[in-house]
Amino acid sequence: AIIVLFCFGCSSSKTTVIESMPIRQHPDNPHIFLWQGKPKVFIASGEHYGALINKDFKYDIYFQTLQKAGLQHTRLFLGDYLEGPNAFDGILVGVNSLEPALGSFICPWARSSEPGFARGGNKFDLDQWDTGYFKRLHHLFLEAEKNNVTIEAMLFFVGPSWDIMPLNPSNNINKTEQVGAKGYLVKRAGSKMQTYQEAYVRKLVRELNQYNHFIWNASNEPWLNNAVGLNDAKPEWLGIEMTEETKAFVQQVAHWIQDEEAKLPRKHLIGVDITNEGHLIQQSDLESYYKDFQILNVHYDSHAKSLDLNYHRTDKIITFNETGLTDSTYDPRYRTDGWYYCMAGGGLYGNLDYTFYTNGHENGTFNPVFP
């Protein structure tokens, strides 16, 4: 009887420990998550990643709406990136939470006394942190936790917005190199740019280590300005991958995260976006550039091609973490894409839901219209 009681005590204690751990891979099936002591496949329908950096966005209402809908996940940018009205040829004007109104952008870096930021206000001082940003960051994470919403925290992107980004030398007083959109996500040891990129990563790692309910994303769509086609073909929308130089950069980001977390109590999963749709991931990449990642993300993979080709070749979680811009008459496509991907073995499905917007529409009541 004593042995039975002792075993019950161990089981309860073990369960409590598991439930208080960060999101991790399931020990029996590494293709899905373990969260709060249970196997988990995350389903998301979320705003366009601006909940943190757009001061006008009421993330508390957004998280409450997700919880009521039974959705437990969202993606967000951490502050190196924002968008202007001309992003992606203007197709997102009036629907885009990543396009803060002039003066409403907030990021990790404090403003200097020198005017000239491309989207209003003073330039940034990359040697100083913005206390207001970190207050908002922690409040957002606590609100997400309260509503049982997990977060994919994205560190880097450049997309069409290099001219208005804080690390562009035009927008800071620290004289970072003018690397251009193609050079931002490229490893450049010893440069000012990489020094500030590393400091940004390590600062965010330290700030967020206390939370369990998030995973890292080293970079959203790092191939966008640095794409190569398969087998020397011309890069196209589907099946592209990033250049070797950019693969080396995201590998470096994963190393910064791991190195900083090695000094801290909690260890979090690390992911990166690798392609639109899917193709056979090179074995050499799995063994080198992607070896420190536990999650590999794909976008716009409506036929789960990434799973068909790679599920049995790796023990990493493969996710479909962005699709969007679909006309409302095709709304069932989001559901069928998500169902197909998750039933095929994916660990996560998420679509861009532009019904979430600022100015009172954080509850998903906006009616977006796309060209």
Side-chain angles (χ1 to χ4, degrees):
I2 294 174
I3 293 175
V4 171
L5 288 171
F6 178 76
C7 290
F8 272 60
C10 289
S11 176
S12 176
S13 175
K14 183 178 180 181
T15 300
T16 301
V17 170
I18 289 174
E19 290 181 350
S20 64
M21 294 178 67
I23 303 166
R24 60 189 183 118
Q25 287 179 282
H26 196 284
D28 299 324
N29 179 3
H31 292 290
I32 63 172
F33 297 95
L34 179 67
W35 175 230
Q36 297 176 332
K38 298 177 181 180
K40 189 70 181 176
V41 173
F42 289 109
I43 308 296
S45 183
E47 59 88 25
H48 191 206
Y49 318 145
L52 173 63
I53 62 95
N54 187 336
K55 290 192 288 186
D56 296 331
F57 192 87
K58 300 176 182 65
Y59 51 74
D60 54 343
I61 296 173
Y62 171 60
F63 292 143
Q64 291 163 18
T65 305
L66 294 184
Q67 183 187 49
K68 290 176 183 176
L71 300 168
Q72 286 187 276
H73 188 72
T74 191
R75 302 180 85 208
L76 58 82
F77 283 107
L78 289 174
D80 84 314
Y81 179 78
L82 73 161
E83 289 178 349
N86 298 320
F88 299 105
D89 297 322
I91 62 173
L92 301 179
V93 170
V95 303
N96 187 8
S97 57
L98 263 179
E99 182 195 327
L102 293 177
S104 292
F105 173 59
I106 190 168
C107 71
W109 300 282
R111 300 288 183 132
S112 71
S113 58
E114 181 179 328
F117 173 48
R119 290 294 291 165
N122 291 348
K123 293 183 178 182
F124 296 95
D125 182 349
L126 305 180
D127 290 321
Q128 305 295 327
W129 303 115
D130 183 346
T131 56
Y133 164 87
F134 288 100
K135 182 178 179 181
R136 182 176 173 88
L137 174 74
H138 287 293
H139 189 259
L140 181 148
F141 266 72
L142 290 171
E143 285 294 309
E145 185 177 48
K146 184 169 71 176
N147 289 282
N148 201 27
V149 174
T150 62
I151 293 172
E152 179 183 348
M154 294 183 289
L155 285 160
F156 290 103
F157 187 44
V158 60
S161 296
W162 172 242
D163 289 347
I164 62 173
M165 289 171 59
L167 270 71
N168 184 318
S170 301
N171 297 312
N172 64 66
I173 64 170
N174 310 92
K175 300 181 180 179
T176 51
E177 295 86 355
Q178 182 53 265
V179 297
K182 290 183 178 294
Y184 183 61
L185 302 183
V186 171
K187 186 176 178 181
R188 32 180 94 245
S191 67
K192 274 194 172 186
M193 181 64 68
Q194 185 165 310
T195 297
Y196 285 117
Q197 288 172 325
E198 179 178 355
Y200 159 70
V201 172
R202 292 183 182 273
K203 173 67 171 175
L204 267 297
V205 169
R206 293 192 298 273
E207 290 286 338
L208 295 178
N209 189 257
Q210 62 188 283
Y211 302 108
N212 291 324
H213 61 296
F214 80 98
I215 56 179
W216 291 110
N217 184 329
S219 180
N220 175 74
E221 297 189 353
W223 64 82
L224 198 62
N225 292 290
N226 297 282
V228 293
L230 301 176
N231 301 317
D232 298 320
K234 181 181 178 181
E236 296 179 355
W237 171 256
L238 300 178
I240 60 174
E241 60 179 45
M242 62 189 104
T243 62
E244 298 292 305
E245 294 84 358
T246 299
K247 289 176 183 175
F249 174 80
V250 298
Q251 181 187 35
Q252 179 67 69
V253 175
H255 172 74
W256 290 333
I257 296 170
Q258 288 184 321
D259 183 65
E260 198 64 30
E261 284 197 338
K263 313 167 192 174
L264 300 167
R266 292 175 172 82
K267 312 297 181 284
H268 298 86
L269 298 181
I270 308 173
V272 67
D273 299 350
I274 61 169
T275 188
N276 281 324
E277 200 185 66
H279 56 76
L280 195 71
I281 303 170
Q282 299 177 46
Q283 188 63 33
S284 58
D285 287 348
L286 290 172
E287 295 171 358
S288 57
Y289 297 126
Y290 300 150
K291 67 182 177 66
D292 296 325
F293 292 93
Q294 298 81 44
I295 308 167
L296 299 178
N297 309 313
V298 299
H299 290 183
Y300 303 92
D301 192 2
S302 58
H303 301 292
K305 188 175 179 180
S306 57
L307 295 172
D308 293 340
L309 294 173
N310 299 297
Y311 185 88
H312 296 291
R313 298 179 56 246
T314 178
D315 61 359
K316 300 181 186 299
I317 302 171
I318 305 175
T319 84
F320 179 5
N321 68 338
E322 179 182 301
T323 190
L325 299 176
T326 301
D327 186 277
S328 59
T329 58
Y330 292 98
D331 185 59
R333 175 179 158 187
Y334 288 140
R335 296 173 184 157
T336 54
D337 284 1
W339 179 263
Y340 186 69
Y341 200 86
C342 292
M343 293 303 290
L348 179 151
Y349 168 77
N351 67 264
L352 278 173
D353 187 344
Y354 292 93
T355 65
F356 294 111
Y357 191 50
T358 52
N359 302 321
H361 296 290
E362 291 87 351
N363 60 356
T365 56
F366 191 65
N367 183 25
V369 177
F370 301 110

